[in-house]
Amino acid sequence: LPSSPQVMFGLLAAITASWAGLLLRARRTAGSVQYIHWLMLGLVGFKTLTLLSQACMYLVVQRYGSPHGWNWVYYIATFFRGMLFFSVVVLIGTGWSYMKPFIDENTRKVLMVVIPLQVFAEIAIVITGEESPSIRDWATWVNILHFVDILCCCAILFPIVWSIKHLREASETDGKAARALEKLRLFRQFYILVVVFIYFTRIVVFLLRANLADSLYAWVADAAYELAYLAFYVWVGVKFAPNTDNPYTKLRQEEIEMRA
């Protein structure tokens, strides 16, 4: 297997197995594991499958000159990974599952419009990247698809901003200030993380690929991209881990106790 996808596959496989084991152990605690945690498991699982199919595709192309179907496995895994990634980001940012059991109308509209468009753009970027730059309007389409991808990434920030605004208003209400302020602090952390992640993966990595495309260090851009995703998964996993010491879980437990 090519070294870079192989290493990343090993790391993501270990993370997927660890997260699955954590969820199975945490199921013993009532109210600890939420639906969002299972979606996160599906996300890292499809990301792992994406890296495995990519590594296998490169290996088969090297040996036989054709991917022999592995490219389609890669496209399908990329489709589900992209769909789950943006769904998880939006749902976490709106507090679905661990803070509220429903999705509001505005968030639903964002999911229905942005996610299909972004997944289409991401797969199109992958397919276009495998084509020859000598094809007519190749550079134009690459730039257009990249711009659409950035717009979709920015659009998923709106539900998080709406949640922060709602929590800021709730923090001014008597009797809810303490819980709302705690939620507000956590949502701000998540918002900053998403902004930094989007800026790095969509702008910094794009500039690295453009400047290192014809050099011996072209692999640096891909490595930076994958490491950014790895860091994002680890950070979110730690922050949203289903355990009794996690502040997100405490917020959910407080809501359950108050309703009881």
Side-chain angles (χ1 to χ4, degrees):
L1 293 176
S3 58
S4 180
Q6 180 185 14
V7 172
M8 294 306 301
F9 165 71
L11 291 174
L12 263 297
I15 289 176
T16 302
S18 299
W19 185 254
L22 178 63
L23 295 187
L24 292 175
R25 291 192 300 270
R27 291 182 66 182
R28 302 170 185 172
T29 304
S32 179
V33 179
Q34 306 298 323
Y35 290 120
I36 191 67
H37 294 126
W38 297 110
L39 287 179
M40 293 164 69
L41 176 61
L43 170 60
V44 293
F46 275 106
K47 177 61 178 178
T48 303
L49 180 59
T50 300
L51 291 168
L52 175 62
S53 59
Q54 183 184 27
C56 292
M57 180 176 64
Y58 289 163
L59 178 63
V60 172
V61 169
Q62 271 186 347
R63 291 188 175 182
Y64 305 105
S66 174
H68 289 289
W70 278 106
N71 55 330
W72 287 105
V73 177
Y74 176 63
Y75 298 153
I76 294 171
T78 299
F79 170 80
F80 284 105
R81 190 266 301 168
M83 183 174 63
L84 282 171
F85 177 80
F86 280 83
S87 298
V88 166
V89 170
V90 172
L91 293 175
I92 288 177
T94 56
W96 177 77
S97 182
Y98 62 92
M99 278 173 49
K100 59 184 182 182
F102 61 90
I103 303 174
D104 58 75
E105 186 63 27
N106 290 330
T107 301
R108 190 177 292 110
K109 290 178 180 178
V110 171
L111 288 171
M112 292 178 63
V113 174
V114 171
I115 290 180
L117 183 60
Q118 196 282 331
V119 170
F120 167 78
E122 187 168 353
I123 293 179
I125 289 172
V126 172
I127 296 175
T128 305
E130 296 177 354
E131 300 293 336
S132 172
S134 61
I135 296 177
R136 183 180 178 182
D137 298 329
W138 179 86
T140 302
W141 278 110
V142 168
N143 291 330
I144 291 174
L145 292 171
H146 183 68
F147 180 71
V148 171
D149 183 47
I150 292 177
L151 285 181
C152 292
C153 290
C154 293
I156 66 171
L157 295 175
F158 284 101
I160 307 176
V161 173
W162 296 333
S163 295
I164 291 175
K165 180 181 178 181
H166 175 73
L167 290 172
R168 187 182 295 112
E169 294 172 351
S171 66
E172 299 173 359
T173 304
D174 293 337
K176 296 182 179 180
R179 293 194 308 276
L181 285 173
E182 180 68 10
K183 295 175 184 178
L184 182 60
R185 182 182 67 83
L186 298 173
F187 271 72
R188 282 175 173 169
Q189 290 179 359
F190 183 68
Y191 174 79
I192 293 172
L193 172 69
V194 174
V195 170
V196 172
F197 174 80
I198 291 173
Y199 177 79
F200 185 84
T201 57
R202 266 59 185 183
I203 297 178
V204 174
V205 172
F206 180 79
L207 294 175
L208 285 174
R209 284 174 174 166
N211 289 285
L212 301 176
D214 298 325
S215 70
L216 296 175
Y217 302 99
W219 59 270
V220 173
D222 292 332
Y225 180 81
E226 296 297 345
L227 288 173
Y229 267 92
L230 179 64
F232 184 86
Y233 292 149
V234 171
W235 192 94
V236 174
V238 170
K239 283 292 183 179
F240 290 87
N243 58 66
T244 55
D245 295 328
N246 191 292
Y248 289 90
T249 304
K250 287 181 180 179
L251 292 175
R252 177 63 176 173
Q253 292 291 349
E254 289 176 4
E255 297 288 343
I256 295 174
E257 292 172 2
M258 289 183 62
R259 290 172 185 174

mmCIF file of all heavy atoms in Angstrom, residues 122-168:
data_model
loop_
_atom_site.group_PDB
_atom_site.id
_atom_site.type_symbol
_atom_site.label_atom_id
_atom_site.label_comp_id
_atom_site.label_asym_id
_atom_site.label_seq_id
_atom_site.Cartn_x
_atom_site.Cartn_y
_atom_site.Cartn_z
ATOM 1 N N GLU A 122 -17.589 17.857 -3.899
ATOM 2 C CA GLU A 122 -16.402 17.143 -3.424
ATOM 3 C C GLU A 122 -16.062 15.963 -4.325
ATOM 4 O O GLU A 122 -14.898 15.742 -4.664
ATOM 5 C CB GLU A 122 -16.615 16.671 -1.988
ATOM 6 C CG GLU A 122 -15.369 16.072 -1.361
ATOM 7 C CD GLU A 122 -15.503 15.886 0.132
ATOM 8 O OE1 GLU A 122 -16.509 16.340 0.699
ATOM 9 O OE2 GLU A 122 -14.599 15.284 0.735
ATOM 10 N N ILE A 123 -17.089 15.199 -4.723
ATOM 11 C CA ILE A 123 -16.842 14.064 -5.616
ATOM 12 C C ILE A 123 -16.378 14.564 -6.979
ATOM 13 O O ILE A 123 -15.481 13.974 -7.597
ATOM 14 C CB ILE A 123 -18.107 13.200 -5.748
ATOM 15 C CG1 ILE A 123 -18.413 12.522 -4.403
ATOM 16 C CG2 ILE A 123 -17.927 12.141 -6.833
ATOM 17 C CD1 ILE A 123 -19.651 11.666 -4.417
ATOM 18 N N ALA A 124 -16.981 15.659 -7.452
ATOM 19 C CA ALA A 124 -16.559 16.230 -8.732
ATOM 20 C C ALA A 124 -15.112 16.699 -8.673
ATOM 21 O O ALA A 124 -14.363 16.554 -9.647
ATOM 22 C CB ALA A 124 -17.480 17.393 -9.117
ATOM 23 N N ILE A 125 -14.701 17.233 -7.532
ATOM 24 C CA ILE A 125 -13.300 17.657 -7.369
ATOM 25 C C ILE A 125 -12.369 16.451 -7.458
ATOM 26 O O ILE A 125 -11.307 16.508 -8.088
ATOM 27 C CB ILE A 125 -13.120 18.388 -6.021
ATOM 28 C CG1 ILE A 125 -13.798 19.761 -6.069
ATOM 29 C CG2 ILE A 125 -11.639 18.556 -5.686
ATOM 30 C CD1 ILE A 125 -13.826 20.468 -4.736
ATOM 31 N N VAL A 126 -12.773 15.349 -6.814
ATOM 32 C CA VAL A 126 -11.955 14.129 -6.854
ATOM 33 C C VAL A 126 -11.827 13.610 -8.282
ATOM 34 O O VAL A 126 -10.730 13.282 -8.752
ATOM 35 C CB VAL A 126 -12.566 13.046 -5.944
ATOM 36 C CG1 VAL A 126 -11.833 11.719 -6.138
ATOM 37 C CG2 VAL A 126 -12.503 13.478 -4.490
ATOM 38 N N ILE A 127 -12.954 13.538 -8.992
ATOM 39 C CA ILE A 127 -12.941 13.019 -10.363
ATOM 40 C C ILE A 127 -12.163 13.953 -11.279
ATOM 41 O O ILE A 127 -11.353 13.514 -12.116
ATOM 42 C CB ILE A 127 -14.380 12.836 -10.885
ATOM 43 C CG1 ILE A 127 -15.098 11.764 -10.049
ATOM 44 C CG2 ILE A 127 -14.380 12.437 -12.353
ATOM 45 C CD1 ILE A 127 -16.562 11.594 -10.401
ATOM 46 N N THR A 128 -12.365 15.268 -11.135
ATOM 47 C CA THR A 128 -11.656 16.246 -11.962
ATOM 48 C C THR A 128 -10.157 16.190 -11.712
ATOM 49 O O THR A 128 -9.351 16.342 -12.637
ATOM 50 C CB THR A 128 -12.175 17.671 -11.679
ATOM 51 O OG1 THR A 128 -13.595 17.703 -11.876
ATOM 52 C CG2 THR A 128 -11.523 18.681 -12.604
ATOM 53 N N GLY A 129 -9.789 15.954 -10.446
ATOM 54 C CA GLY A 129 -8.365 15.873 -10.123
ATOM 55 C C GLY A 129 -7.669 14.703 -10.778
ATOM 56 O O GLY A 129 -6.446 14.715 -10.964
ATOM 57 N N GLU A 130 -8.436 13.665 -11.158
ATOM 58 C CA GLU A 130 -7.844 12.512 -11.825
ATOM 59 C C GLU A 130 -7.734 12.701 -13.332
ATOM 60 O O GLU A 130 -7.104 11.890 -14.009
ATOM 61 C CB GLU A 130 -8.694 11.266 -11.527
ATOM 62 C CG GLU A 130 -8.698 10.884 -10.052
ATOM 63 C CD GLU A 130 -9.598 9.700 -9.775
ATOM 64 O OE1 GLU A 130 -10.297 9.267 -10.703
ATOM 65 O OE2 GLU A 130 -9.590 9.205 -8.630
ATOM 66 N N GLU A 131 -8.378 13.760 -13.844
ATOM 67 C CA GLU A 131 -8.307 14.041 -15.268
ATOM 68 C C GLU A 131 -7.037 14.817 -15.601
ATOM 69 O O GLU A 131 -6.375 15.387 -14.729
ATOM 70 C CB GLU A 131 -9.535 14.832 -15.722
ATOM 71 C CG GLU A 131 -10.856 14.116 -15.486
ATOM 72 C CD GLU A 131 -11.001 12.878 -16.355
ATOM 73 O OE1 GLU A 131 -10.346 12.825 -17.415
ATOM 74 O OE2 GLU A 131 -11.766 11.967 -15.974
ATOM 75 N N SER A 132 -6.717 14.865 -16.875
ATOM 76 C CA SER A 132 -5.514 15.578 -17.311
ATOM 77 C C SER A 132 -5.767 17.081 -17.363
ATOM 78 O O SER A 132 -6.826 17.523 -17.832
ATOM 79 C CB SER A 132 -5.093 15.097 -18.708
ATOM 80 O OG SER A 132 -4.058 15.903 -19.215
ATOM 81 N N PRO A 133 -4.823 17.894 -16.869
ATOM 82 C CA PRO A 133 -4.976 19.347 -16.938
ATOM 83 C C PRO A 133 -5.052 19.879 -18.366
ATOM 84 O O PRO A 133 -5.424 21.035 -18.575
ATOM 85 C CB PRO A 133 -3.707 19.861 -16.232
ATOM 86 C CG PRO A 133 -3.270 18.732 -15.363
ATOM 87 C CD PRO A 133 -3.624 17.489 -16.133
ATOM 88 N N SER A 134 -4.687 19.044 -19.327
ATOM 89 C CA SER A 134 -4.733 19.489 -20.724
ATOM 90 C C SER A 134 -6.153 19.541 -21.278
ATOM 91 O O SER A 134 -6.394 20.103 -22.339
ATOM 92 C CB SER A 134 -3.891 18.556 -21.598
ATOM 93 O OG SER A 134 -4.400 17.224 -21.542
ATOM 94 N N ILE A 135 -7.117 18.955 -20.524
ATOM 95 C CA ILE A 135 -8.503 18.979 -20.972
ATOM 96 C C ILE A 135 -9.018 20.413 -20.959
ATOM 97 O O ILE A 135 -8.701 21.206 -20.065
ATOM 98 C CB ILE A 135 -9.384 18.084 -20.075
ATOM 99 C CG1 ILE A 135 -8.954 16.624 -20.202
ATOM 100 C CG2 ILE A 135 -10.862 18.237 -20.425
ATOM 101 C CD1 ILE A 135 -9.712 15.685 -19.307
ATOM 102 N N ARG A 136 -9.842 20.735 -21.949
ATOM 103 C CA ARG A 136 -10.350 22.098 -22.095
ATOM 104 C C ARG A 136 -11.125 22.540 -20.845
ATOM 105 O O ARG A 136 -11.946 21.807 -20.318
ATOM 106 C CB ARG A 136 -11.257 22.174 -23.323
ATOM 107 C CG ARG A 136 -11.787 23.574 -23.611
ATOM 108 C CD ARG A 136 -12.681 23.550 -24.830
ATOM 109 N NE ARG A 136 -13.229 24.871 -25.092
ATOM 110 C CZ ARG A 136 -14.084 25.144 -26.090
ATOM 111 N NH1 ARG A 136 -14.469 24.166 -26.908
ATOM 112 N NH2 ARG A 136 -14.546 26.364 -26.254
ATOM 113 N N ASP A 137 -10.840 23.749 -20.374
ATOM 114 C CA ASP A 137 -11.501 24.371 -19.221
ATOM 115 C C ASP A 137 -11.288 23.585 -17.926
ATOM 116 O O ASP A 137 -12.062 23.741 -16.971
ATOM 117 C CB ASP A 137 -13.006 24.522 -19.476
ATOM 118 C CG ASP A 137 -13.311 25.434 -20.662
ATOM 119 O OD1 ASP A 137 -12.522 26.367 -20.897
ATOM 120 O OD2 ASP A 137 -14.333 25.202 -21.336
ATOM 121 N N TRP A 138 -10.252 22.768 -17.888
ATOM 122 C CA TRP A 138 -9.994 21.977 -16.679
ATOM 123 C C TRP A 138 -9.755 22.878 -15.463
ATOM 124 O O TRP A 138 -10.374 22.683 -14.407
ATOM 125 C CB TRP A 138 -8.779 21.081 -16.906
ATOM 126 C CG TRP A 138 -8.407 20.230 -15.722
ATOM 127 C CD1 TRP A 138 -8.906 19.008 -15.397
ATOM 128 C CD2 TRP A 138 -7.455 20.543 -14.692
ATOM 129 N NE1 TRP A 138 -8.330 18.536 -14.243
ATOM 130 C CE2 TRP A 138 -7.435 19.453 -13.787
ATOM 131 C CE3 TRP A 138 -6.625 21.642 -14.453
ATOM 132 C CZ2 TRP A 138 -6.617 19.437 -12.663
ATOM 133 C CZ3 TRP A 138 -5.814 21.624 -13.329
ATOM 134 C CH2 TRP A 138 -5.807 20.528 -12.453
ATOM 135 N N ALA A 139 -8.882 23.867 -15.608
ATOM 136 C CA ALA A 139 -8.561 24.764 -14.485
ATOM 137 C C ALA A 139 -9.790 25.555 -14.045
ATOM 138 O O ALA A 139 -10.005 25.784 -12.843
ATOM 139 C CB ALA A 139 -7.429 25.705 -14.880
ATOM 140 N N THR A 140 -10.611 25.963 -15.008
ATOM 141 C CA THR A 140 -11.815 26.727 -14.680
ATOM 142 C C THR A 140 -12.769 25.905 -13.823
ATOM 143 O O THR A 140 -13.299 26.391 -12.810
ATOM 144 C CB THR A 140 -12.536 27.180 -15.968
ATOM 145 O OG1 THR A 140 -11.642 27.969 -16.747
ATOM 146 C CG2 THR A 140 -13.780 27.986 -15.626
ATOM 147 N N TRP A 141 -12.991 24.652 -14.220
ATOM 148 C CA TRP A 141 -13.891 23.797 -13.462
ATOM 149 C C TRP A 141 -13.331 23.484 -12.075
ATOM 150 O O TRP A 141 -14.093 23.407 -11.097
ATOM 151 C CB TRP A 141 -14.155 22.502 -14.221
ATOM 152 C CG TRP A 141 -15.203 22.655 -15.273
ATOM 153 C CD1 TRP A 141 -15.047 22.636 -16.617
ATOM 154 C CD2 TRP A 141 -16.608 22.879 -15.042
ATOM 155 N NE1 TRP A 141 -16.247 22.831 -17.263
ATOM 156 C CE2 TRP A 141 -17.225 22.980 -16.318
ATOM 157 C CE3 TRP A 141 -17.393 22.999 -13.893
ATOM 158 C CZ2 TRP A 141 -18.596 23.199 -16.455
ATOM 159 C CZ3 TRP A 141 -18.754 23.211 -14.028
ATOM 160 C CH2 TRP A 141 -19.341 23.307 -15.304
ATOM 161 N N VAL A 142 -12.037 23.306 -11.973
ATOM 162 C CA VAL A 142 -11.427 23.057 -10.667
ATOM 163 C C VAL A 142 -11.671 24.239 -9.729
ATOM 164 O O VAL A 142 -12.055 24.066 -8.562
ATOM 165 C CB VAL A 142 -9.913 22.796 -10.819
ATOM 166 C CG1 VAL A 142 -9.229 22.820 -9.445
ATOM 167 C CG2 VAL A 142 -9.678 21.450 -11.480
ATOM 168 N N ASN A 143 -11.484 25.449 -10.239
ATOM 169 C CA ASN A 143 -11.692 26.647 -9.416
ATOM 170 C C ASN A 143 -13.165 26.826 -9.047
ATOM 171 O O ASN A 143 -13.488 27.219 -7.920
ATOM 172 C CB ASN A 143 -11.179 27.890 -10.155
ATOM 173 C CG ASN A 143 -9.670 27.896 -10.286
ATOM 174 O OD1 ASN A 143 -8.968 27.353 -9.438
ATOM 175 N ND2 ASN A 143 -9.161 28.498 -11.352
ATOM 176 N N ILE A 144 -14.072 26.554 -9.993
ATOM 177 C CA ILE A 144 -15.504 26.685 -9.713
ATOM 178 C C ILE A 144 -15.942 25.702 -8.630
ATOM 179 O O ILE A 144 -16.655 26.064 -7.687
ATOM 180 C CB ILE A 144 -16.332 26.475 -11.002
ATOM 181 C CG1 ILE A 144 -16.118 27.642 -11.969
ATOM 182 C CG2 ILE A 144 -17.816 26.323 -10.672
ATOM 183 C CD1 ILE A 144 -16.788 27.449 -13.308
ATOM 184 N N LEU A 145 -15.514 24.450 -8.778
ATOM 185 C CA LEU A 145 -15.888 23.436 -7.797
ATOM 186 C C LEU A 145 -15.302 23.744 -6.421
ATOM 187 O O LEU A 145 -15.959 23.537 -5.390
ATOM 188 C CB LEU A 145 -15.428 22.057 -8.273
ATOM 189 C CG LEU A 145 -16.147 21.514 -9.512
ATOM 190 C CD1 LEU A 145 -15.453 20.254 -10.014
ATOM 191 C CD2 LEU A 145 -17.609 21.220 -9.192
ATOM 192 N N HIS A 146 -14.086 24.255 -6.411
ATOM 193 C CA HIS A 146 -13.462 24.624 -5.139
ATOM 194 C C HIS A 146 -14.224 25.771 -4.485
ATOM 195 O O HIS A 146 -14.426 25.786 -3.260
ATOM 196 C CB HIS A 146 -12.002 25.018 -5.372
ATOM 197 C CG HIS A 146 -11.261 25.342 -4.113
ATOM 198 N ND1 HIS A 146 -10.950 24.398 -3.165
ATOM 199 C CD2 HIS A 146 -10.790 26.527 -3.628
ATOM 200 C CE1 HIS A 146 -10.307 24.966 -2.164
ATOM 201 N NE2 HIS A 146 -10.200 26.259 -2.420
ATOM 202 N N PHE A 147 -14.677 26.729 -5.278
ATOM 203 C CA PHE A 147 -15.442 27.853 -4.758
ATOM 204 C C PHE A 147 -16.780 27.386 -4.189
ATOM 205 O O PHE A 147 -17.208 27.840 -3.114
ATOM 206 C CB PHE A 147 -15.669 28.885 -5.870
ATOM 207 C CG PHE A 147 -16.454 30.087 -5.439
ATOM 208 C CD1 PHE A 147 -15.894 31.025 -4.582
ATOM 209 C CD2 PHE A 147 -17.753 30.283 -5.882
ATOM 210 C CE1 PHE A 147 -16.613 32.137 -4.171
ATOM 211 C CE2 PHE A 147 -18.480 31.389 -5.479
ATOM 212 C CZ PHE A 147 -17.908 32.323 -4.622
ATOM 213 N N VAL A 148 -17.454 26.473 -4.886
ATOM 214 C CA VAL A 148 -18.726 25.917 -4.391
ATOM 215 C C VAL A 148 -18.497 25.179 -3.076
ATOM 216 O O VAL A 148 -19.298 25.287 -2.140
ATOM 217 C CB VAL A 148 -19.343 24.973 -5.444
ATOM 218 C CG1 VAL A 148 -20.542 24.226 -4.859
ATOM 219 C CG2 VAL A 148 -19.764 25.758 -6.680
ATOM 220 N N ASP A 149 -17.411 24.442 -2.990
ATOM 221 C CA ASP A 149 -17.087 23.713 -1.775
ATOM 222 C C ASP A 149 -16.899 24.671 -0.600
ATOM 223 O O ASP A 149 -17.394 24.428 0.509
ATOM 224 C CB ASP A 149 -15.810 22.895 -2.006
ATOM 225 C CG ASP A 149 -15.448 22.037 -0.801
ATOM 226 O OD1 ASP A 149 -16.339 21.360 -0.268
ATOM 227 O OD2 ASP A 149 -14.274 22.054 -0.389
ATOM 228 N N ILE A 150 -16.202 25.784 -0.823
ATOM 229 C CA ILE A 150 -15.992 26.779 0.235
ATOM 230 C C ILE A 150 -17.313 27.406 0.663
ATOM 231 O O ILE A 150 -17.576 27.602 1.860
ATOM 232 C CB ILE A 150 -15.002 27.863 -0.229
ATOM 233 C CG1 ILE A 150 -13.601 27.260 -0.397
ATOM 234 C CG2 ILE A 150 -14.952 29.019 0.766
ATOM 235 C CD1 ILE A 150 -12.577 28.241 -0.925
ATOM 236 N N LEU A 151 -18.182 27.724 -0.315
ATOM 237 C CA LEU A 151 -19.481 28.308 0.009
ATOM 238 C C LEU A 151 -20.309 27.366 0.884
ATOM 239 O O LEU A 151 -20.954 27.793 1.848
ATOM 240 C CB LEU A 151 -20.249 28.635 -1.275
ATOM 241 C CG LEU A 151 -19.803 29.867 -2.065
ATOM 242 C CD1 LEU A 151 -20.679 30.052 -3.295
ATOM 243 C CD2 LEU A 151 -19.849 31.121 -1.190
ATOM 244 N N CYS A 152 -20.285 26.085 0.547
ATOM 245 C CA CYS A 152 -21.035 25.105 1.336
ATOM 246 C C CYS A 152 -20.476 24.996 2.754
ATOM 247 O O CYS A 152 -21.232 24.876 3.728
ATOM 248 C CB CYS A 152 -21.000 23.741 0.651
ATOM 249 S SG CYS A 152 -21.910 23.668 -0.910
ATOM 250 N N CYS A 153 -19.164 25.039 2.858
ATOM 251 C CA CYS A 153 -18.534 24.975 4.178
ATOM 252 C C CYS A 153 -18.924 26.184 5.028
ATOM 253 O O CYS A 153 -19.172 26.059 6.230
ATOM 254 C CB CYS A 153 -17.014 24.899 4.043
ATOM 255 S SG CYS A 153 -16.395 23.336 3.390
ATOM 256 N N CYS A 154 -18.979 27.354 4.400
ATOM 257 C CA CYS A 154 -19.375 28.564 5.124
ATOM 258 C C CYS A 154 -20.845 28.515 5.508
ATOM 259 O O CYS A 154 -21.238 29.006 6.573
ATOM 260 C CB CYS A 154 -19.097 29.801 4.272
ATOM 261 S SG CYS A 154 -17.345 30.120 3.984
ATOM 262 N N ALA A 155 -21.670 27.902 4.664
ATOM 263 C CA ALA A 155 -23.110 27.841 4.929
ATOM 264 C C ALA A 155 -23.422 27.016 6.173
ATOM 265 O O ALA A 155 -24.381 27.314 6.897
ATOM 266 C CB ALA A 155 -23.842 27.264 3.721
ATOM 267 N N ILE A 156 -22.625 25.983 6.451
ATOM 268 C CA ILE A 156 -22.916 25.150 7.620
ATOM 269 C C ILE A 156 -22.596 25.876 8.921
ATOM 270 O O ILE A 156 -22.958 25.398 10.005
ATOM 271 C CB ILE A 156 -22.144 23.816 7.577
ATOM 272 C CG1 ILE A 156 -20.635 24.047 7.706
ATOM 273 C CG2 ILE A 156 -22.480 23.026 6.329
ATOM 274 C CD1 ILE A 156 -19.848 22.778 7.880
ATOM 275 N N LEU A 157 -21.950 27.038 8.827
ATOM 276 C CA LEU A 157 -21.676 27.817 10.034
ATOM 277 C C LEU A 157 -22.926 28.519 10.546
ATOM 278 O O LEU A 157 -23.016 28.842 11.737
ATOM 279 C CB LEU A 157 -20.577 28.854 9.761
ATOM 280 C CG LEU A 157 -19.182 28.313 9.430
ATOM 281 C CD1 LEU A 157 -18.262 29.468 9.067
ATOM 282 C CD2 LEU A 157 -18.615 27.522 10.599
ATOM 283 N N PHE A 158 -23.892 28.768 9.666
ATOM 284 C CA PHE A 158 -25.084 29.508 10.067
ATOM 285 C C PHE A 158 -25.871 28.829 11.187
ATOM 286 O O PHE A 158 -26.270 29.502 12.152
ATOM 287 C CB PHE A 158 -25.979 29.770 8.853
ATOM 288 C CG PHE A 158 -25.472 30.855 7.950
ATOM 289 C CD1 PHE A 158 -24.820 30.553 6.768
ATOM 290 C CD2 PHE A 158 -25.627 32.195 8.292
ATOM 291 C CE1 PHE A 158 -24.338 31.553 5.944
ATOM 292 C CE2 PHE A 158 -25.157 33.210 7.468
ATOM 293 C CZ PHE A 158 -24.511 32.889 6.284
ATOM 294 N N PRO A 159 -26.127 27.511 11.111
ATOM 295 C CA PRO A 159 -26.838 26.887 12.239
ATOM 296 C C PRO A 159 -26.092 27.017 13.565
ATOM 297 O O PRO A 159 -26.733 27.163 14.622
ATOM 298 C CB PRO A 159 -26.944 25.414 11.812
ATOM 299 C CG PRO A 159 -26.902 25.448 10.324
ATOM 300 C CD PRO A 159 -25.950 26.558 10.000
ATOM 301 N N ILE A 160 -24.769 26.974 13.521
ATOM 302 C CA ILE A 160 -23.996 27.135 14.757
ATOM 303 C C ILE A 160 -24.148 28.552 15.284
ATOM 304 O O ILE A 160 -24.308 28.782 16.488
ATOM 305 C CB ILE A 160 -22.515 26.795 14.521
ATOM 306 C CG1 ILE A 160 -22.370 25.411 13.895
ATOM 307 C CG2 ILE A 160 -21.733 26.861 15.834
ATOM 308 C CD1 ILE A 160 -20.946 25.042 13.544
ATOM 309 N N VAL A 161 -24.109 29.542 14.372
ATOM 310 C CA VAL A 161 -24.285 30.938 14.770
ATOM 311 C C VAL A 161 -25.679 31.157 15.357
ATOM 312 O O VAL A 161 -25.838 31.863 16.360
ATOM 313 C CB VAL A 161 -24.061 31.868 13.565
ATOM 314 C CG1 VAL A 161 -24.401 33.318 13.934
ATOM 315 C CG2 VAL A 161 -22.616 31.789 13.087
ATOM 316 N N TRP A 162 -26.697 30.531 14.757
ATOM 317 C CA TRP A 162 -28.061 30.652 15.293
ATOM 318 C C TRP A 162 -28.144 30.069 16.696
ATOM 319 O O TRP A 162 -28.821 30.642 17.570
ATOM 320 C CB TRP A 162 -29.051 29.933 14.370
ATOM 321 C CG TRP A 162 -29.154 30.532 13.003
ATOM 322 C CD1 TRP A 162 -28.909 31.831 12.669
ATOM 323 C CD2 TRP A 162 -29.504 29.852 11.789
ATOM 324 N NE1 TRP A 162 -29.083 32.010 11.311
ATOM 325 C CE2 TRP A 162 -29.450 30.820 10.747
ATOM 326 C CE3 TRP A 162 -29.852 28.537 11.474
ATOM 327 C CZ2 TRP A 162 -29.739 30.497 9.422
ATOM 328 C CZ3 TRP A 162 -30.144 28.219 10.157
ATOM 329 C CH2 TRP A 162 -30.093 29.193 9.143
ATOM 330 N N SER A 163 -27.469 28.959 16.930
ATOM 331 C CA SER A 163 -27.481 28.346 18.260
ATOM 332 C C SER A 163 -26.796 29.254 19.279
ATOM 333 O O SER A 163 -27.274 29.412 20.409
ATOM 334 C CB SER A 163 -26.776 26.985 18.227
ATOM 335 O OG SER A 163 -27.478 26.066 17.408
ATOM 336 N N ILE A 164 -25.677 29.846 18.885
ATOM 337 C CA ILE A 164 -24.958 30.749 19.781
ATOM 338 C C ILE A 164 -25.828 31.964 20.114
ATOM 339 O O ILE A 164 -25.895 32.413 21.266
ATOM 340 C CB ILE A 164 -23.624 31.188 19.148
ATOM 341 C CG1 ILE A 164 -22.665 29.994 19.076
ATOM 342 C CG2 ILE A 164 -22.995 32.323 19.942
ATOM 343 C CD1 ILE A 164 -21.362 30.302 18.364
ATOM 344 N N LYS A 165 -26.509 32.505 19.105
ATOM 345 C CA LYS A 165 -27.400 33.647 19.332
ATOM 346 C C LYS A 165 -28.528 33.276 20.289
ATOM 347 O O LYS A 165 -28.862 34.045 21.211
ATOM 348 C CB LYS A 165 -27.976 34.126 18.001
ATOM 349 C CG LYS A 165 -28.909 35.316 18.136
ATOM 350 C CD LYS A 165 -29.477 35.728 16.785
ATOM 351 C CE LYS A 165 -30.454 36.881 16.933
ATOM 352 N NZ LYS A 165 -31.048 37.281 15.628
ATOM 353 N N HIS A 166 -29.114 32.101 20.081
ATOM 354 C CA HIS A 166 -30.198 31.642 20.950
ATOM 355 C C HIS A 166 -29.710 31.466 22.386
ATOM 356 O O HIS A 166 -30.396 31.856 23.346
ATOM 357 C CB HIS A 166 -30.762 30.325 20.421
ATOM 358 C CG HIS A 166 -31.796 29.713 21.317
ATOM 359 N ND1 HIS A 166 -33.073 30.218 21.448
ATOM 360 C CD2 HIS A 166 -31.727 28.640 22.152
ATOM 361 C CE1 HIS A 166 -33.749 29.487 22.313
ATOM 362 N NE2 HIS A 166 -32.959 28.517 22.750
ATOM 363 N N LEU A 167 -28.529 30.889 22.556
ATOM 364 C CA LEU A 167 -27.988 30.679 23.897
ATOM 365 C C LEU A 167 -27.617 32.002 24.559
ATOM 366 O O LEU A 167 -27.752 32.144 25.778
ATOM 367 C CB LEU A 167 -26.760 29.764 23.822
ATOM 368 C CG LEU A 167 -27.053 28.300 23.471
ATOM 369 C CD1 LEU A 167 -25.759 27.546 23.239
ATOM 370 C CD2 LEU A 167 -27.860 27.638 24.579
ATOM 371 N N ARG A 168 -27.149 32.961 23.778
ATOM 372 C CA ARG A 168 -26.829 34.271 24.336
ATOM 373 C C ARG A 168 -28.087 34.947 24.874
ATOM 374 O O ARG A 168 -28.060 35.575 25.936
ATOM 375 C CB ARG A 168 -26.165 35.161 23.273
ATOM 376 C CG ARG A 168 -25.661 36.480 23.850
ATOM 377 C CD ARG A 168 -25.050 37.364 22.793
ATOM 378 N NE ARG A 168 -23.849 36.782 22.230
ATOM 379 C CZ ARG A 168 -23.740 36.342 20.981
ATOM 380 N NH1 ARG A 168 -24.780 36.406 20.163
ATOM 381 N NH2 ARG A 168 -22.608 35.837 20.543
#
